[in-house]
Amino acid sequence: MKVDGQCHCGAIAYEAEVEPGGIVICNCADCQMQSGSVFRMNIPASAQSFRLLKGSPRKYLKVAESGTKRVHAFCGNCGGPIYSSAAEDPQSYSLRVGALKQRYQLGRPVRQIWTKRRFPWFPHLDGTEEFEEQP
């Protein structure tokens, strides 16, 4: 499915191909902090299909405790999140579902990760695969 998205102010626009039903909920502390919410929803897009149409995102390099490096791209004007990817030679991009125009057509999440950080009042979603940490 072709999707297109943009940051909140519209300075950055992009398109990609995603597989509907591929949404992942991440409950890790980083996603909570970066989203300003209790989780973040992402959907993978291949690097070959991802294309910036307008603007150039700012990038933040996050180094995990494991040493893994991940780029987080966002709008330098409004702060709207765009994607995350491997720091070098990304094969895919984790697109931020809330920034996609087609977000309501992407289906239910298929996976929740970092459930050990999930808020205790956030329910288990039937039919959703769960992992306590990064699978």
Side-chain angles (χ1 to χ4, degrees):
M1 170 183 196
K2 185 175 181 178
V3 294
D4 55 310
Q6 68 178 45
C7 63
H8 192 259
C9 73
I12 298 173
Y14 55 95
E15 66 182 13
E17 291 284 334
V18 301
E19 192 65 41
I23 294 174
V24 175
I25 293 175
C26 184
N27 297 283
C28 78
D30 285 342
C31 283
Q32 291 170 357
M33 185 175 285
Q34 289 179 340
S35 70
S37 187
V38 299
F39 61 84
R40 178 168 28 209
M41 292 196 324
N42 307 296
I43 192 163
S46 71
Q48 295 83 4
S49 76
F50 180 79
R51 188 167 69 113
L52 279 170
L53 303 173
K54 178 180 172 187
S56 181
R58 292 207 45 201
K59 295 177 182 175
Y60 164 68
L61 181 64
K62 165 69 172 125
V63 181
E65 288 181 21
S66 66
T68 301
K69 295 177 182 174
R70 197 129 177 101
V71 169
H72 294 267
F74 60 95
C75 176
N77 294 327
C78 69
I82 307 298
Y83 66 81
S84 68
S85 69
E88 295 182 29
D89 192 29
Q91 300 301 302
S92 66
Y93 292 88
S94 291
L95 304 181
R96 305 317 189 196
V97 171
L100 299 174
K101 293 177 186 170
Q102 297 80 9
R103 61 188 166 268
Y104 299 109
Q105 288 80 47
L106 295 175
R108 291 177 45 89
V110 294
R111 181 181 303 150
Q112 279 198 64
I113 61 174
W114 286 97
T115 57
K116 73 180 189 180
R117 300 277 188 254
R118 180 173 54 201
F119 277 66
W121 50 261
F122 188 76
H124 164 79
L125 300 175
D126 289 338
T128 302
E129 190 175 22
E130 294 189 356
F131 296 90
E132 283 195 1
E133 294 183 353
Q134 191 72 31

